[in-house]
Short mmCIF file of all heavy atoms in Angstrom, two decimals:
data_model
loop_
_atom_site.label_atom_id
_atom_site.label_comp_id
_atom_site.label_asym_id
_atom_site.label_seq_id
_atom_site.Cartn_x
_atom_site.Cartn_y
_atom_site.Cartn_z
N PRO A 200 38.66 63.19 32.92
CA PRO A 200 37.33 63.93 32.93
C PRO A 200 36.60 63.71 31.67
O PRO A 200 37.17 63.72 30.58
CB PRO A 200 37.69 65.34 33.30
CG PRO A 200 39.21 65.36 33.62
CD PRO A 200 39.79 64.04 33.10
N GLN A 201 35.28 63.59 31.78
CA GLN A 201 34.46 63.39 30.59
C GLN A 201 34.57 64.49 29.49
O GLN A 201 34.60 64.17 28.31
CB GLN A 201 33.03 63.25 31.01
CG GLN A 201 32.00 62.86 29.95
CD GLN A 201 32.37 61.44 29.31
OE1 GLN A 201 32.87 60.55 30.03
NE2 GLN A 201 32.06 61.22 28.13
N GLU A 202 34.78 65.77 30.03
CA GLU A 202 34.88 66.87 29.07
C GLU A 202 36.18 66.86 28.25
O GLU A 202 36.33 67.58 27.22
CB GLU A 202 34.62 68.20 29.72
CG GLU A 202 35.77 68.60 30.66
CD GLU A 202 35.78 68.07 32.02
OE1 GLU A 202 34.81 67.23 32.36
OE2 GLU A 202 36.55 68.39 32.85
N LYS A 203 37.14 66.05 28.65
CA LYS A 203 38.36 65.82 27.85
C LYS A 203 38.37 64.69 26.96
O LYS A 203 39.33 64.44 26.25
CB LYS A 203 39.54 65.71 28.86
CG LYS A 203 39.62 66.87 29.89
CD LYS A 203 40.19 68.02 29.25
CE LYS A 203 40.45 69.14 30.28
NZ LYS A 203 40.98 70.34 29.75
N GLN A 204 37.27 63.96 26.90
CA GLN A 204 37.16 62.71 26.03
C GLN A 204 36.81 63.07 24.61
O GLN A 204 36.21 64.14 24.42
CB GLN A 204 36.10 61.75 26.61
CG GLN A 204 36.36 61.28 28.06
CD GLN A 204 37.68 60.54 28.11
OE1 GLN A 204 37.95 59.63 27.35
NE2 GLN A 204 38.49 60.68 29.11
N PRO A 205 37.25 62.27 23.67
CA PRO A 205 37.01 62.44 22.18
C PRO A 205 35.44 62.72 22.02
O PRO A 205 35.03 63.43 21.19
CB PRO A 205 37.52 61.38 21.51
CG PRO A 205 38.55 60.78 22.42
CD PRO A 205 38.18 60.99 23.79
N SER A 206 34.66 61.97 22.85
CA SER A 206 33.16 62.03 22.58
C SER A 206 32.59 63.43 23.06
O SER A 206 31.48 63.63 22.77
CB SER A 206 32.51 60.94 23.47
OG SER A 206 32.88 61.03 24.81
N ALA A 207 33.42 64.21 23.74
CA ALA A 207 32.92 65.47 24.11
C ALA A 207 32.94 66.53 22.93
O ALA A 207 32.35 67.58 23.00
CB ALA A 207 33.84 66.07 25.25
N CYS A 208 33.58 66.15 21.86
CA CYS A 208 33.61 67.04 20.67
C CYS A 208 32.13 67.16 20.01
O CYS A 208 31.52 66.26 19.86
CB CYS A 208 34.47 66.41 19.53
SG CYS A 208 34.53 67.33 18.02
N ILE A 209 31.80 68.47 19.91
CA ILE A 209 30.43 68.72 19.38
C ILE A 209 30.42 68.93 17.92
O ILE A 209 29.41 69.22 17.32
CB ILE A 209 29.78 69.89 20.11
CG1 ILE A 209 30.60 71.11 19.95
CG2 ILE A 209 29.55 69.48 21.59
CD1 ILE A 209 29.91 72.37 20.47
N GLY A 210 31.61 68.89 17.20
CA GLY A 210 31.79 69.00 15.78
C GLY A 210 31.55 70.37 15.28
O GLY A 210 31.14 70.62 14.13
N CYS A 211 31.82 71.44 16.22
CA CYS A 211 31.59 72.85 15.77
C CYS A 211 32.75 73.27 14.79
O CYS A 211 32.61 74.32 14.09
CB CYS A 211 31.59 73.68 16.98
SG CYS A 211 33.25 73.94 17.81
N ARG A 212 33.86 72.53 14.72
CA ARG A 212 34.98 72.83 13.78
C ARG A 212 35.75 74.08 14.08
O ARG A 212 36.57 74.51 13.25
CB ARG A 212 34.46 72.83 12.32
CG ARG A 212 33.79 71.58 11.84
CD ARG A 212 33.48 71.56 10.40
NE ARG A 212 32.60 70.39 9.98
CZ ARG A 212 33.14 69.30 9.63
NH1 ARG A 212 34.43 69.11 9.48
NH2 ARG A 212 32.38 68.26 9.26
N SER A 213 35.50 74.71 15.23
CA SER A 213 36.26 75.87 15.61
C SER A 213 37.78 75.58 15.68
O SER A 213 38.60 76.51 15.37
CB SER A 213 35.77 76.62 16.85
OG SER A 213 35.89 75.65 17.99
N CYS A 214 38.08 74.38 16.06
CA CYS A 214 39.55 74.08 16.25
C CYS A 214 40.11 73.94 14.80
O CYS A 214 41.37 74.13 14.68
CB CYS A 214 39.69 72.71 17.05
SG CYS A 214 38.84 71.39 16.40
N GLU A 215 39.37 73.45 13.92
CA GLU A 215 39.86 73.30 12.58
C GLU A 215 40.21 74.64 11.92
O GLU A 215 41.17 74.72 11.04
CB GLU A 215 38.81 72.49 11.68
CG GLU A 215 38.61 71.10 12.20
CD GLU A 215 37.53 70.41 11.51
OE1 GLU A 215 36.92 70.89 10.53
OE2 GLU A 215 37.21 69.30 11.98
N LYS A 216 39.48 75.65 12.28
CA LYS A 216 39.81 76.98 11.69
C LYS A 216 41.11 77.49 12.07
O LYS A 216 41.67 78.30 11.35
CB LYS A 216 38.65 77.99 12.05
CG LYS A 216 37.31 77.56 11.52
CD LYS A 216 36.20 78.54 12.11
CE LYS A 216 34.91 78.03 11.50
NZ LYS A 216 33.78 78.69 12.22
N VAL A 217 41.65 77.14 13.22
CA VAL A 217 42.92 77.58 13.69
C VAL A 217 44.08 76.52 13.53
O VAL A 217 45.18 76.83 13.91
CB VAL A 217 42.83 78.11 15.12
CG1 VAL A 217 41.97 79.29 15.20
CG2 VAL A 217 42.42 77.00 16.04
N CYS A 218 43.78 75.33 13.01
CA CYS A 218 44.73 74.31 12.90
C CYS A 218 45.70 74.65 11.80
O CYS A 218 45.32 74.73 10.64
CB CYS A 218 44.11 72.94 12.66
SG CYS A 218 45.29 71.56 12.37
N PRO A 219 47.02 74.83 12.15
CA PRO A 219 48.01 75.13 11.10
C PRO A 219 48.10 74.10 10.01
O PRO A 219 48.60 74.42 8.88
CB PRO A 219 49.31 75.45 11.76
CG PRO A 219 49.10 74.85 13.11
CD PRO A 219 47.65 74.72 13.43
N GLN A 220 47.89 72.77 10.43
CA GLN A 220 47.96 71.69 9.41
C GLN A 220 46.67 71.38 8.66
O GLN A 220 46.57 70.51 7.87
CB GLN A 220 48.46 70.41 10.15
CG GLN A 220 49.88 70.42 10.48
CD GLN A 220 50.14 71.27 11.77
OE1 GLN A 220 49.26 71.28 12.63
NE2 GLN A 220 51.30 71.90 11.83
N GLN A 221 45.59 72.17 8.98
CA GLN A 221 44.33 72.03 8.38
C GLN A 221 43.77 70.60 8.44
O GLN A 221 43.14 70.04 7.58
CB GLN A 221 44.30 72.45 6.89
CG GLN A 221 44.74 73.88 6.64
CD GLN A 221 44.84 74.36 5.25
OE1 GLN A 221 44.81 73.50 4.37
NE2 GLN A 221 44.81 75.56 5.03
N ILE A 222 44.01 69.99 9.64
CA ILE A 222 43.49 68.66 10.00
C ILE A 222 42.03 68.84 10.28
O ILE A 222 41.60 69.63 11.01
CB ILE A 222 44.26 68.08 11.19
CG1 ILE A 222 45.73 67.83 10.77
CG2 ILE A 222 43.63 66.70 11.57
CD1 ILE A 222 46.58 67.48 11.93
N LYS A 223 41.26 67.85 9.80
CA LYS A 223 39.82 67.83 10.08
C LYS A 223 39.65 67.11 11.44
O LYS A 223 39.32 65.92 11.56
CB LYS A 223 39.09 67.13 8.95
CG LYS A 223 39.09 67.94 7.67
CD LYS A 223 38.30 67.15 6.57
CE LYS A 223 38.42 67.87 5.34
NZ LYS A 223 37.80 67.28 4.24
N ILE A 224 39.83 67.91 12.57
CA ILE A 224 39.87 67.33 13.85
C ILE A 224 38.49 66.73 14.28
O ILE A 224 38.53 65.72 15.01
CB ILE A 224 40.36 68.51 14.85
CG1 ILE A 224 41.76 68.89 14.45
CG2 ILE A 224 40.26 68.03 16.31
CD1 ILE A 224 42.20 70.15 15.11
N SER A 225 37.48 67.39 13.86
CA SER A 225 36.11 66.88 14.29
C SER A 225 35.95 65.47 13.73
O SER A 225 35.33 64.64 14.39
CB SER A 225 35.02 67.82 13.90
OG SER A 225 35.01 68.02 12.44
N GLU A 226 36.37 65.21 12.51
CA GLU A 226 36.29 63.93 11.92
C GLU A 226 37.16 62.93 12.69
O GLU A 226 36.81 61.79 12.98
CB GLU A 226 36.71 63.93 10.44
CG GLU A 226 35.64 64.62 9.59
CD GLU A 226 36.05 64.60 8.09
OE1 GLU A 226 36.93 63.73 7.66
OE2 GLU A 226 35.58 65.55 7.34
N ALA A 227 38.41 63.36 13.05
CA ALA A 227 39.23 62.52 13.78
C ALA A 227 38.66 62.10 15.15
O ALA A 227 38.76 60.93 15.59
CB ALA A 227 40.66 63.14 14.02
N MET A 228 38.02 63.09 15.79
CA MET A 228 37.46 62.79 17.12
C MET A 228 36.29 61.86 17.03
O MET A 228 36.11 60.93 17.84
CB MET A 228 37.01 64.09 17.83
CG MET A 228 38.13 65.02 18.29
SD MET A 228 39.15 64.30 19.52
CE MET A 228 40.60 63.80 18.56
N ALA A 229 35.49 62.06 15.96
CA ALA A 229 34.30 61.11 15.78
C ALA A 229 34.87 59.69 15.51
O ALA A 229 34.35 58.69 16.05
CB ALA A 229 33.46 61.65 14.59
N ASP A 230 35.93 59.55 14.65
CA ASP A 230 36.47 58.27 14.38
C ASP A 230 37.05 57.67 15.60
O ASP A 230 36.88 56.44 15.89
CB ASP A 230 37.60 58.39 13.28
CG ASP A 230 38.08 57.11 12.80
OD1 ASP A 230 37.22 56.24 12.49
OD2 ASP A 230 39.26 56.98 12.61
N PHE A 231 37.77 58.47 16.39
CA PHE A 231 38.38 58.02 17.61
C PHE A 231 37.32 57.48 18.63
O PHE A 231 37.54 56.42 19.20
CB PHE A 231 39.22 59.12 18.24
CG PHE A 231 40.17 58.69 19.31
CD1 PHE A 231 41.35 57.96 19.03
CD2 PHE A 231 39.81 58.95 20.66
CE1 PHE A 231 42.19 57.59 20.05
CE2 PHE A 231 40.76 58.51 21.69
CZ PHE A 231 41.92 57.91 21.34
N THR A 232 36.26 58.22 18.74
CA THR A 232 35.14 57.84 19.57
C THR A 232 34.55 56.51 19.20
O THR A 232 34.28 55.56 20.02
CB THR A 232 34.02 58.92 19.57
OG1 THR A 232 34.59 60.06 20.12
CG2 THR A 232 32.80 58.49 20.45
N GLU A 233 34.29 56.33 17.87
CA GLU A 233 33.84 54.98 17.40
C GLU A 233 34.79 53.94 17.64
O GLU A 233 34.35 52.82 17.99
CB GLU A 233 33.40 55.09 15.91
CG GLU A 233 32.21 56.04 15.62
CD GLU A 233 31.01 55.55 16.36
OE1 GLU A 233 30.70 54.36 16.34
OE2 GLU A 233 30.39 56.33 16.98
N ARG A 234 36.05 54.07 17.43
CA ARG A 234 37.01 53.09 17.70
C ARG A 234 37.09 52.77 19.18
O ARG A 234 37.28 51.57 19.48
CB ARG A 234 38.38 53.54 17.17
CG ARG A 234 38.44 53.56 15.68
CD ARG A 234 39.80 54.16 15.19
NE ARG A 234 39.74 54.39 13.77
CZ ARG A 234 40.36 53.62 12.90
NH1 ARG A 234 41.08 52.54 13.37
NH2 ARG A 234 40.35 53.81 11.62
N LEU A 235 37.06 53.75 20.01
CA LEU A 235 36.99 53.41 21.42
C LEU A 235 35.84 52.48 21.87
O LEU A 235 35.96 51.57 22.66
CB LEU A 235 36.98 54.69 22.28
CG LEU A 235 38.29 55.46 22.47
CD1 LEU A 235 37.93 56.88 23.12
CD2 LEU A 235 39.22 54.74 23.29
N LYS A 236 34.69 52.80 21.30
CA LYS A 236 33.47 51.96 21.56
C LYS A 236 33.65 50.63 20.97
O LYS A 236 33.19 49.70 21.67
CB LYS A 236 32.22 52.61 20.92
CG LYS A 236 31.80 53.97 21.55
CD LYS A 236 30.61 54.45 20.81
CE LYS A 236 30.14 55.85 21.39
NZ LYS A 236 29.05 56.44 20.59
N ALA A 237 34.32 50.48 19.90
CA ALA A 237 34.50 49.19 19.31
C ALA A 237 35.52 48.26 19.98
O ALA A 237 35.42 47.05 19.85
CB ALA A 237 34.90 49.39 17.78
N GLU A 238 36.44 48.91 20.70
CA GLU A 238 37.42 48.13 21.33
C GLU A 238 37.02 47.32 22.52
O GLU A 238 37.72 46.45 23.00
CB GLU A 238 38.57 49.07 21.74
CG GLU A 238 39.39 49.62 20.63
CD GLU A 238 40.29 48.69 20.00
OE1 GLU A 238 40.72 47.68 20.66
OE2 GLU A 238 40.56 48.71 18.82
N LYS A 239 35.81 47.69 23.09
CA LYS A 239 35.29 47.01 24.28
C LYS A 239 36.37 46.89 25.35
O LYS A 239 36.80 45.81 25.77
CB LYS A 239 34.82 45.60 23.98
CG LYS A 239 33.64 45.60 23.00
CD LYS A 239 33.10 44.25 22.69
CE LYS A 239 31.91 44.43 21.78
NZ LYS A 239 31.65 43.36 20.93
N ILE A 240 36.80 48.08 25.80
CA ILE A 240 37.91 48.23 26.74
C ILE A 240 37.40 47.82 28.24
O ILE A 240 36.35 48.29 28.59
CB ILE A 240 38.45 49.62 26.79
CG1 ILE A 240 38.91 49.96 25.32
CG2 ILE A 240 39.58 49.76 27.77
CD1 ILE A 240 39.15 51.45 25.14
N SER A 241 38.16 47.02 28.93
CA SER A 241 37.91 46.72 30.24
C SER A 241 38.17 47.92 31.18
O SER A 241 38.68 48.89 30.65
CB SER A 241 38.71 45.57 30.68
OG SER A 241 40.00 45.90 31.06
N ASP A 242 37.79 47.80 32.43
CA ASP A 242 38.04 48.95 33.33
C ASP A 242 39.51 49.09 33.78
O ASP A 242 39.87 50.03 34.51
CB ASP A 242 37.17 48.76 34.64
CG ASP A 242 35.76 49.11 34.27
OD1 ASP A 242 35.45 49.82 33.29
OD2 ASP A 242 34.84 48.65 35.03
N SER A 243 40.32 48.08 33.40
CA SER A 243 41.71 48.11 33.85
C SER A 243 42.41 49.27 33.13
O SER A 243 42.33 49.52 31.88
CB SER A 243 42.38 46.76 33.40
OG SER A 243 43.78 46.89 33.33
N SER A 244 43.18 49.98 33.94
CA SER A 244 43.98 51.11 33.34
C SER A 244 44.94 50.61 32.32
O SER A 244 45.11 51.30 31.24
CB SER A 244 44.75 51.78 34.56
OG SER A 244 44.46 53.07 34.70
N ALA A 245 45.54 49.50 32.55
CA ALA A 245 46.51 49.07 31.58
C ALA A 245 45.86 48.72 30.21
O ALA A 245 46.44 48.95 29.14
CB ALA A 245 47.24 47.79 32.17
N ASP A 246 44.63 48.07 30.35
CA ASP A 246 43.89 47.77 29.16
C ASP A 246 43.46 49.04 28.40
O ASP A 246 43.59 49.02 27.17
CB ASP A 246 42.68 46.93 29.45
CG ASP A 246 42.99 45.49 29.89
OD1 ASP A 246 44.17 45.00 29.63
OD2 ASP A 246 42.16 44.84 30.50
N LYS A 247 43.03 50.10 29.05
CA LYS A 247 42.71 51.27 28.49
C LYS A 247 43.89 51.94 27.79
O LYS A 247 43.76 52.40 26.60
CB LYS A 247 42.14 52.23 29.53
CG LYS A 247 40.71 51.90 30.03
CD LYS A 247 40.13 52.83 30.96
CE LYS A 247 38.81 52.38 31.46
NZ LYS A 247 38.30 53.28 32.52
N ASN A 248 45.06 51.93 28.49
CA ASN A 248 46.22 52.53 27.91
C ASN A 248 46.66 51.89 26.66
O ASN A 248 46.99 52.45 25.59
CB ASN A 248 47.37 52.59 28.89
CG ASN A 248 47.17 53.64 29.95
OD1 ASN A 248 46.42 54.59 29.77
ND2 ASN A 248 47.87 53.40 31.11
N LYS A 249 46.61 50.55 26.67
CA LYS A 249 46.97 49.64 25.54
C LYS A 249 46.03 49.96 24.42
O LYS A 249 46.44 50.14 23.19
CB LYS A 249 46.95 48.19 25.91
CG LYS A 249 47.36 47.21 24.80
CD LYS A 249 47.24 45.84 25.31
CE LYS A 249 47.57 44.87 24.09
NZ LYS A 249 47.48 43.51 24.57
N ALA A 250 44.71 50.02 24.63
CA ALA A 250 43.76 50.22 23.58
C ALA A 250 43.98 51.69 22.92
O ALA A 250 43.83 51.84 21.72
CB ALA A 250 42.40 50.13 24.10
N VAL A 251 44.09 52.65 23.79
CA VAL A 251 44.27 54.07 23.28
C VAL A 251 45.56 54.07 22.47
O VAL A 251 45.53 54.73 21.40
CB VAL A 251 44.36 55.00 24.49
CG1 VAL A 251 44.85 56.38 24.00
CG2 VAL A 251 43.08 55.14 25.13
N LYS A 252 46.64 53.46 22.87
CA LYS A 252 47.87 53.47 22.07
C LYS A 252 47.62 52.79 20.72
O LYS A 252 48.12 53.28 19.65
CB LYS A 252 49.03 52.73 22.75
CG LYS A 252 49.61 53.56 23.97
CD LYS A 252 50.71 52.86 24.65
CE LYS A 252 51.23 53.69 25.80
NZ LYS A 252 52.27 53.03 26.53
N SER A 253 46.87 51.74 20.69
CA SER A 253 46.57 51.06 19.44
C SER A 253 45.75 51.94 18.56
O SER A 253 46.06 52.09 17.31
CB SER A 253 45.85 49.73 19.76
OG SER A 253 45.35 49.16 18.58
N ILE A 254 44.75 52.52 19.09
CA ILE A 254 43.89 53.42 18.32
C ILE A 254 44.64 54.59 17.80
O ILE A 254 44.48 54.99 16.60
CB ILE A 254 42.66 53.85 19.10
CG1 ILE A 254 41.71 52.64 19.41
CG2 ILE A 254 41.88 54.98 18.41
CD1 ILE A 254 40.74 52.91 20.54
N CYS A 255 45.52 55.21 18.56
CA CYS A 255 46.29 56.39 18.22
C CYS A 255 47.22 56.01 17.11
O CYS A 255 47.39 56.78 16.09
CB CYS A 255 47.06 56.95 19.38
SG CYS A 255 46.10 57.84 20.56
N SER A 256 47.83 54.86 17.15
CA SER A 256 48.70 54.37 16.10
C SER A 256 47.92 54.23 14.73
O SER A 256 48.44 54.63 13.74
CB SER A 256 49.31 53.01 16.44
OG SER A 256 50.06 52.52 15.40
N ARG A 257 46.72 53.66 14.76
CA ARG A 257 45.93 53.55 13.63
C ARG A 257 45.45 54.80 13.05
O ARG A 257 45.44 55.06 11.85
CB ARG A 257 44.74 52.60 13.87
CG ARG A 257 45.15 51.14 14.09
CD ARG A 257 43.97 50.23 14.06
NE ARG A 257 42.90 50.67 15.07
CZ ARG A 257 42.43 49.96 16.08
NH1 ARG A 257 42.97 48.81 16.33
NH2 ARG A 257 41.60 50.41 16.92
N LEU A 258 45.11 55.75 13.97
CA LEU A 258 44.73 57.11 13.50
C LEU A 258 45.91 57.88 12.84
O LEU A 258 45.76 58.59 11.87
CB LEU A 258 44.06 57.89 14.70
CG LEU A 258 42.71 57.60 15.06
CD1 LEU A 258 42.26 58.31 16.25
CD2 LEU A 258 41.75 57.74 13.91
N LYS A 259 47.09 57.62 13.51
CA LYS A 259 48.31 58.38 12.98
C LYS A 259 48.48 57.86 11.51
O LYS A 259 48.82 58.64 10.64
CB LYS A 259 49.51 58.00 13.81
CG LYS A 259 50.72 58.77 13.39
CD LYS A 259 51.83 58.40 14.36
CE LYS A 259 53.14 59.03 13.86
NZ LYS A 259 54.29 58.63 14.62
N ASP A 260 48.25 56.54 11.21
CA ASP A 260 48.47 56.08 9.91
C ASP A 260 47.46 56.57 8.99
O ASP A 260 47.70 56.83 7.73
CB ASP A 260 48.40 54.47 9.91
CG ASP A 260 49.53 53.85 10.60
OD1 ASP A 260 50.58 54.55 10.73
OD2 ASP A 260 49.34 52.70 11.00
N LYS A 261 46.29 56.89 9.51
CA LYS A 261 45.18 57.36 8.66
C LYS A 261 45.10 59.04 8.56
O LYS A 261 44.29 59.47 7.81
CB LYS A 261 43.86 56.83 9.35
CG LYS A 261 42.59 57.09 8.49
CD LYS A 261 41.45 56.56 9.14
CE LYS A 261 40.19 56.84 8.26
NZ LYS A 261 38.98 56.28 8.86
N ILE A 262 45.90 59.67 9.28
CA ILE A 262 45.77 61.09 9.48
C ILE A 262 45.75 61.87 8.15
O ILE A 262 45.14 62.91 8.03
CB ILE A 262 46.75 61.70 10.41
CG1 ILE A 262 46.35 63.02 10.99
CG2 ILE A 262 48.17 61.72 9.84
CD1 ILE A 262 45.25 63.00 11.90
N GLY A 263 46.42 61.23 7.19
CA GLY A 263 46.56 61.86 5.89
C GLY A 263 45.14 62.09 5.24
O GLY A 263 44.75 63.11 4.56
N SER A 264 44.11 61.23 5.62
CA SER A 264 42.82 61.39 5.11
C SER A 264 42.02 62.50 5.81
O SER A 264 41.00 62.90 5.28
CB SER A 264 42.03 60.08 5.21
OG SER A 264 41.84 59.75 6.59
N PHE A 265 42.61 62.96 6.95
CA PHE A 265 41.95 64.08 7.65
C PHE A 265 42.54 65.43 7.26
O PHE A 265 42.02 66.45 7.57
CB PHE A 265 42.12 63.94 9.16
CG PHE A 265 41.34 62.74 9.68
CD1 PHE A 265 42.06 61.66 10.37
CD2 PHE A 265 40.02 62.62 9.53
CE1 PHE A 265 41.31 60.69 10.79
CE2 PHE A 265 39.27 61.46 10.08
CZ PHE A 265 40.03 60.50 10.71
N GLN A 266 43.59 65.44 6.52
CA GLN A 266 44.28 66.64 6.17
C GLN A 266 43.79 67.25 4.82
O GLN A 266 43.23 66.61 4.07
CB GLN A 266 45.78 66.44 5.92
CG GLN A 266 46.46 66.07 7.27
CD GLN A 266 47.91 65.77 7.14
OE1 GLN A 266 48.39 65.74 5.99
NE2 GLN A 266 48.61 65.59 8.23
N MET A 267 43.95 68.56 4.83
CA MET A 267 43.60 69.31 3.63
C MET A 267 42.19 69.13 3.10
O MET A 267 41.96 68.24 2.31
CB MET A 267 44.59 69.05 2.56
CG MET A 267 46.05 69.26 2.93
SD MET A 267 46.50 70.95 3.42
CE MET A 267 46.47 71.73 1.88
N SER A 268 41.38 70.01 3.54
CA SER A 268 39.93 69.83 3.15
C SER A 268 39.70 70.20 1.65
O SER A 268 40.50 70.64 0.96
CB SER A 268 39.04 70.72 3.96
OG SER A 268 39.55 72.00 4.02
#
């Protein structure tokens, strides 16, 4: 569903206020959205899953930059 996509984030930061790890979630969602657009994913479910796994892996590596404001 569209409301569950990273692009649905409005950047209100309410999730960040309750995040025990103090992750800047709104920044992560914006970055994830841009990466999804850049991947040029086909309509194939397998291609989408592969792209999302790749993006998640890169974001996991970068997550330190989203922590501790």
